[in-house]
Amino acid sequence: QVQLVESGGGVVQPGGSLRLSCAASGFTFTNYAMHWVRQAPGKGLQWVAFISYEGSNKYYADSVKGRFSISRDSSESTVYLEMTSLRVEDTAVYYCARNAPGQIHYLDWWGQGALVTVSS
Amino acid sequence: EIVLTQSPDFQSVTPKEKVTITCRASQNIGNSLHWYQQKPGQSPKLLIKYVFQTFSGVPSRFSGSGSGTDFTLTINSLEAEDAATYYCHQSGRLPVTFGQGTKVEIK
């Protein structure tokens, strides 16, 4: 059974930092690329970042480029999202999602999400 | 960036009725179009991949069609459990993008 479990969310002040984790289980983690997608309160889905299965290719939405960093640890089957210089508009539920095998495709499994609130 | 525009934004539907949601892309994305269902308080779930391929476990009343820039999600004979927001998603070109969502309410 595929499982993706996010953690690390919380309340942070503008300009602060936070690191989200997504622990994967139930599949061979090293075979799959991963994404982070966020959803602001009452809003739609917004793609944030992508990391390839082996970690060599990373892509970011323009709105987070230079502030967020995606990484993965194969030994821990975990993908991370390091968020710095946080802004009020980064407030959202952050989902990690598994990319279907191969290149950038559909997202076949999603975690339950981690809420990040940026507020003074 | 490829913009996906869904219509309508909201639909109130009687059970057993047919629902049609459209997704229009600002550029040709071939068949790289997917659909997700998100129920209140839950994470999104994949319904349809590559325009018309139903994901494992998805009821047969859900179907997709289209190509290029115009796509459709159809729910035949709507059931109460289908109350949700539906999103289209394109993976053909970075940045990947989502439609704004269509909320389906049961009358």
Side-chain angles (χ1 to χ4, degrees):
Chain A
Q1 175 78 350
V2 173
Q3 275 201 309
L4 299 170
V5 180
E6 298 94 337
S7 60
V11 180
V12 60
Q13 290 188 336
S17 300
L18 210 57
R19 187 178 82 157
L20 300 181
S21 302
C22 171
S25 61
F27 65 99
T28 304
F29 181 70
T30 50
N31 287 351
Y32 290 84
M34 300 292 293
H35 298 257
W36 286 96
V37 177
R38 68 185 180 184
Q39 186 170 36
K43 302 296 185 182
L45 302 172
Q46 182 190 26
W47 174 75
V48 173
F50 164 90
I51 186 166
S52 58
Y53 71 96
E54 86 286 22
S56 61
N57 294 311
K58 303 176 185 181
Y59 304 110
Y60 301 91
D62 284 347
S63 57
V64 306
K65 204 173 291 183
R67 301 188 299 123
F68 288 14
S69 178
I70 190 171
S71 61
R72 63 191 295 157
D73 184 336
S74 297
S75 66
E76 297 288 333
S77 295
T78 299
V79 61
Y80 301 98
L81 186 68
E82 189 79 42
M83 304 183 292
T84 64
S85 302
L86 282 161
R87 306 167 180 168
V88 171
E89 55 265 33
D90 294 320
T91 294
V93 174
Y94 285 73
Y95 297 102
C96 70
R98 191 179 79 167
N99 189 79
Q103 299 178 353
I104 296 178
H105 289 305
Y106 52 91
L107 310 180
D108 59 1
W109 292 99
W110 298 61
Q112 85 289 351
L115 176 61
V116 172
T117 303
V118 184
S119 173
S120 54
Chain B
E1 172 176 313
I2 295 175
V3 176
L4 298 179
T5 304
Q6 293 181 227
S7 61
D9 290 331
F10 176 82
Q11 200 164 8
S12 184
V13 187
T14 305
K16 297 189 180 179
E17 207 174 322
K18 179 179 174 180
V19 173
T20 300
I21 299 169
T22 65
C23 176
R24 175 161 287 176
S26 59
Q27 299 175 42
N28 189 327
I29 56 171
N31 68 342
S32 298
L33 191 285
H34 323 292
W35 293 95
Y36 303 84
Q37 176 193 65
Q38 186 179 32
K39 296 182 180 180
Q42 296 185 16
S43 56
K45 289 182 169 58
L46 178 67
L47 286 178
I48 305 279
K49 52 181 178 164
Y50 288 107
V51 179
F52 64 89
Q53 299 173 30
T54 309
F55 188 55
S56 174
V58 173
S60 58
R61 62 182 179 274
F62 291 92
S63 63
S65 62
S67 67
T69 59
D70 292 293
F71 304 89
T72 300
L73 173 69
T74 301
I75 312 173
N76 282 300
S77 192
L78 186 81
E79 297 191 6
E81 65 183 29
D82 300 333
T85 300
Y86 294 85
Y87 294 92
C88 58
H89 158 233
Q90 69 81 20
S91 61
R93 195 171 300 180
L94 285 170
V96 301
T97 49
F98 293 87
Q100 82 277 16
T102 295
K103 185 173 183 178
V104 174
E105 174 194 88
I106 309 298
K107 279 183 184 173

